[in-house]
Amino acid sequence: MLKPTEFEFCPKCKKNTATSMANPDGSGRFYCTTKHCGFEVPTQKQDMAKAMDKLADIKKKMFPS
């Protein structure tokens, strides 16, 4: 079990009780460890190529040539 100082802030119950879990395929979840809270958000591994493409699209929209 993790020490209380190793937990993240849970936005639902406002306590330092959240942590994350990653699967080998890059997916995972960020969740609260308290039973009464039920906060959970699915996560996925970032793809840098997709992120760079999205950034380029944003730049084109902000600064058209």
Side-chain angles (χ1 to χ4, degrees):
M1 191 69 181
L2 297 172
K3 298 175 190 172
T5 56
E6 295 174 336
F7 286 104
E8 301 291 331
F9 181 76
C10 174
K12 186 175 179 184
C13 68
K14 309 292 189 223
K15 297 178 182 175
N16 285 337
T17 54
T19 190
S20 59
M21 177 197 70
N23 297 321
D25 67 353
S27 66
R29 63 189 184 122
F30 179 69
Y31 63 99
C32 185
T33 58
T34 58
K35 293 184 182 191
H36 69 278
C37 179
F39 174 78
E40 183 172 335
V41 176
T43 61
Q44 64 184 20
K45 187 177 179 179
Q46 286 186 327
D47 182 356
M48 284 304 279
K50 286 183 182 178
M52 294 300 285
D53 289 342
K54 286 181 182 179
L55 181 59
D57 289 342
I58 292 169
K59 285 182 179 179
K60 284 180 189 176
K61 289 177 183 176
M62 289 179 69
F63 308 106
S65 298

